Structures are given as structure tokens and as C-alpha cells.
Amino acid sequence: MSGSIFNLNDMPKVGVYFGKFLPPHRGHLTAILNAATKVQKLYVVVSDNIERSRRICKESGIPEINVNLRIQWLSQELIDMPHIKVVKLDESNIPEYPNGWPMWAELMKGAVGDNIDVFFCGEHEYVEKLEEYFPNAKVDLFDPMRTTYNISATEIRSNPIKHWDHILGPARPFFTKKVLIAGSESCGKTTLTKSLAKLYHTSWSEEVGRYYAQRFLGGNEEIFTTQDFSRIAHQQVEQDYEALRCANKLCFFDTDATITQYYSILYMGERNAQVEACVDPDKYDVVFLLKPDVEWVSDGQRLNGDQEKREKLHQRLKHMYIERGFEDKIVEVGGNYNQRLNTIMDYINKNLI
């Protein structure tokens, strides 16, 4: 049986696929992987004008997506494909498109650093200029009608949750709605957090501090040190990140650094600077602060069952959140367990998804 032998040397050496990737999506990935089958080496060039990108994100009502973040997302997606290289092209000091083509062409040559044999693009409007400024390179127009994935970055920015399936996996944590369930002892936040995550078919991050004493202190909460609370805060940040990586539109958090600081003060009598450095109100879209109006349940770890003291500790925690810039995100939730669950679900359904 005979057949033709595929020879890499017959393929063009260097190809380029470029764009803002604000954000990168399935349409981009389809074009990139198709282009990668046609050249020996593919450069994915992420072009960026800092002010334009900020303006676009602001107009879309989303946080700024800087160029390094976009490069990270694409690099993570393409990490196991060594013949694809993601590079940056900084357009900040040249006229915005459609002006500035001569300067853009020089920047492109510098970003790639190799002789470009072929450009891959999905826009008819680029073809003429690419042929003018790169006369030795071919232009391969890929799916300009978007028949494979009829989606644009503009549409995704306007409603990321609606277009969730089109967003590349590494970029999804950025667009995930982040829900913090907070409260003092015995407010039911751990069970509530897990229940919500299961109901919305997504991930959650558990409270590291809840299990820390058992794992590292032999179950003895009387021997906490300042360093223990620093470690708890650090481990919580890492666990939160892992939960975000596999989130489905929403991610639920059983605690945050403010609560860790709350317990640091409770146990150690002072604030912990390393814990404080982990406090980030911008990390969450909403903070559901549970009132201490359900029955206090002893689980062997809880210390403050007196109702008057529970109320005081609740107010102290609330004040700590306000003091750290969370005020506009706090939604206090009370009632029995069923009422709490349905109140939060109603808020999420109306405001987040």
C-alpha cells in the first residue's frame, strides 16, 4: 500500500494571526488552530493600544482587560503546542486603526522577528493593506462570514454570561460572577455555600480556617499563632483561584480574608498585616452577610453561643467589611435556612445571570 508522504518543508515557514483578543473566544481559537496546520511556525500577535482597550472595556461595562492578561489566556490555551508562539504588539504610540498602517507594519515585523510568509485573518478589510505593506507574504482569509462560530468579542463583552460557551476556558475566571457568603459563627454559611454551588452546577471554595486547626494544630484552637493566620489567608487565596478555574458562570466562596482577619483579632487580639494584604473588595460581585438569627449549633469548634454576643460579633464583622470598602456589595440575609437559600437564589437570578 502506498501513499503520499507529508513533508513539513513543503509548508510555509512563518504565519501570523493577529487581533486584540478582547477577549479571546472560540472563533479565534478555531482560526488559530486551522492556521497552525498550514505553517511550520505560527505567531499569534496580540495587538494593543492601552487607551483604546481601556475605553472599549469601560464602554462595555467590564473591568479593564490588559494585554498581559490576554496573552496569559492565549498562552495557557496553547501551552501544549510549541510551534505556536504568542507575542505582543504595542500600538499605543501610533494612530488608531484605520490610520497608521506604515508604522503598524514596522511594529509587526519587530514583534515577529522572522520573515512572514502568510497572514491569516478573518476580515476582508485587512487584505489590501497587508498585501501592500507585506508584498512577499500571502494573505489567507479564513471564514470571514463566521460560519463556524458566529460570535464577536463585542458581543461577549456586552453579555459574557449569555455567551459563556464561546469564551476560552482560561479567560472564564475573569468573567465569572463571584459570590461571597459571609457571616460569624453558626450562621449556616458552609452548608449554604455548598448548596448554592450544587444548585448552579458550579464550583465553590471552602473555608480553609475551618479545617486548619485539625490539620496543623492537632485540633487545639488555643495554640494559634500570628503565622497561622497568615498561612490561612495565603492558602485561601490559592484555593479560591483553583475554584475559579473550573467555575460555571458563578463561583461561591465560603470565606474571605476579612473573615480571616476577624478571627485573627478574635484569637490573637490584633490585626495581621499579611492577612490584611489579601483583603480585596473588587474580587466579589456581591457579599451575602448572614445574620445570626438561626439557632446556634455547637460543633466542637465554635466558641460564642450567647445570642447577645453573636449580635455584637455580627455587627463587628459588618463594620469590618464596610471599613474595607465592601459597603456597596453587602446584602444582609436573615430568616430560616429555607428563606436564606431562596432569598439568595432570587437575587442571583435577577442580578447576576
Side-chain angles (χ1 to χ4, degrees), residues 6-48:
F6 181 72
N7 190 347
L8 282 174
N9 293 324
D10 293 336
M11 300 171 66
K13 183 179 179 182
V14 175
V16 168
Y17 180 75
F18 63 90
K20 295 189 295 293
F21 304 99
L22 195 61
H25 53 68
R26 294 293 167 195
H28 292 138
L29 184 62
T30 301
I32 289 169
L33 296 183
N34 271 273
T37 66
K38 298 179 180 180
V39 290
Q40 296 178 45
K41 188 172 187 178
L42 179 69
Y43 287 88
V44 177
V45 180
V46 183
S47 60
D48 185 60

Side-chain angles (χ1 to χ4, degrees), residues 169-189:
R172 288 180 179 177
F174 181 90
F175 296 100
T176 297
K177 297 297 184 181
K178 303 162 187 72
V179 180
L180 173 61
I181 310 297
S184 52
E185 286 185 340
S186 196
C187 286
K189 67 184 181 68

Side-chain angles (χ1 to χ4, degrees), residues 76-328:
Q76 289 174 34
E77 187 71 42
L78 302 167
I79 194 169
D80 52 352
M81 298 184 175
H83 67 300
I84 303 177
K85 185 176 182 179
V86 184
V87 298
K88 176 169 65 175
L89 190 158
D90 187 357
E91 302 179 14
S92 299
N93 296 316
I94 67 173
E96 288 191 24
Y97 179 83
N99 302 310
W101 270 96
M103 289 172 280
W104 182 88
E106 291 305 310
L107 289 173
M108 175 62 75
K109 293 172 185 176
V112 173
D114 280 331
N115 292 322
I116 301 170
D117 298 306
V118 56
F119 280 96
F120 300 94
C121 67
E123 306 289 344
H124 285 285
E125 61 189 286
Y126 297 149
V127 175
E128 182 178 346
K129 290 295 184 181
L130 288 172
E131 290 177 341
E132 177 181 350
Y133 289 102
F134 297 89
N136 296 321
K138 296 179 180 180
V139 180
D140 187 323
L141 195 61
F142 177 80
D143 196 16
M145 302 304 293
R146 296 177 180 167
T147 56
T148 305
Y149 285 102
N150 188 21
I151 191 67
S152 69
T154 302
E155 290 174 291
I156 290 174
R157 291 193 303 270
S158 69
N159 194 334
I161 298 301
K162 178 181 177 181
H163 301 294
W164 184 259
D165 290 341
H166 288 103
I167 302 172
L168 290 193
R172 288 180 179 177
F174 181 90
F175 296 100
T176 297
K177 297 297 184 181
K178 303 162 187 72
V179 180
L180 173 61
I181 310 297
S184 52
E185 286 185 340
S186 196
C187 286
K189 67 184 181 68
T190 297
T191 300
L192 181 57
T193 302
K194 292 179 181 179
S195 297
L196 287 163
K198 291 174 184 295
L199 286 167
Y200 286 98
H201 191 54
T202 190
S203 56
W204 74 91
S205 181
E206 295 185 338
E207 182 182 5
V208 170
R210 180 174 177 81
Y211 308 103
Y212 185 91
Q214 192 63 43
R215 290 182 61 194
F216 299 103
L217 307 179
N220 186 355
E221 295 192 355
E222 296 181 358
I223 58 173
F224 270 116
T225 67
T226 298
Q227 185 61 30
D228 288 315
F229 285 98
S230 300
R231 292 186 67 214
I232 288 170
H234 173 73
Q235 289 178 24
Q236 192 70 59
V237 169
E238 292 303 311
Q239 183 168 282
D240 290 352
Y241 176 68
E242 291 302 319
L244 274 170
R245 291 185 65 190
C246 54
N248 176 28
K249 301 179 185 177
L250 297 164
C251 190
F252 294 90
F253 302 87
D254 187 2
T255 195
D256 77 319
T258 304
I259 293 179
T260 304
Q261 188 70 283
Y262 164 87
Y263 282 110
S264 177
I265 294 170
L266 200 63
Y267 280 87
M268 307 306 300
E270 61 183 5
R271 294 188 180 190
N272 184 308
Q274 292 183 11
V275 173
E276 197 66 35
C278 295
V279 174
D280 182 10
D282 293 332
K283 181 175 176 177
Y284 309 99
D285 292 280
V286 61
V287 178
F288 291 110
L289 183 59
L290 305 183
K291 296 179 180 179
D293 56 357
V294 291
E295 182 181 358
W296 187 83
V297 179
S298 176
D299 65 355
Q301 293 180 297
R302 295 165 178 163
L303 306 175
N304 303 288
D306 177 76
Q307 187 58 31
E308 183 178 349
K309 188 170 185 179
R310 291 179 75 196
E311 294 287 349
K312 288 181 179 179
L313 291 174
H314 172 76
Q315 291 303 321
R316 180 189 297 178
L317 180 60
K318 180 180 177 180
H319 177 73
M320 288 179 67
Y321 276 113
I322 293 172
E323 186 180 52
R324 287 158 177 77
F326 288 82
E327 185 171 9
D328 294 338

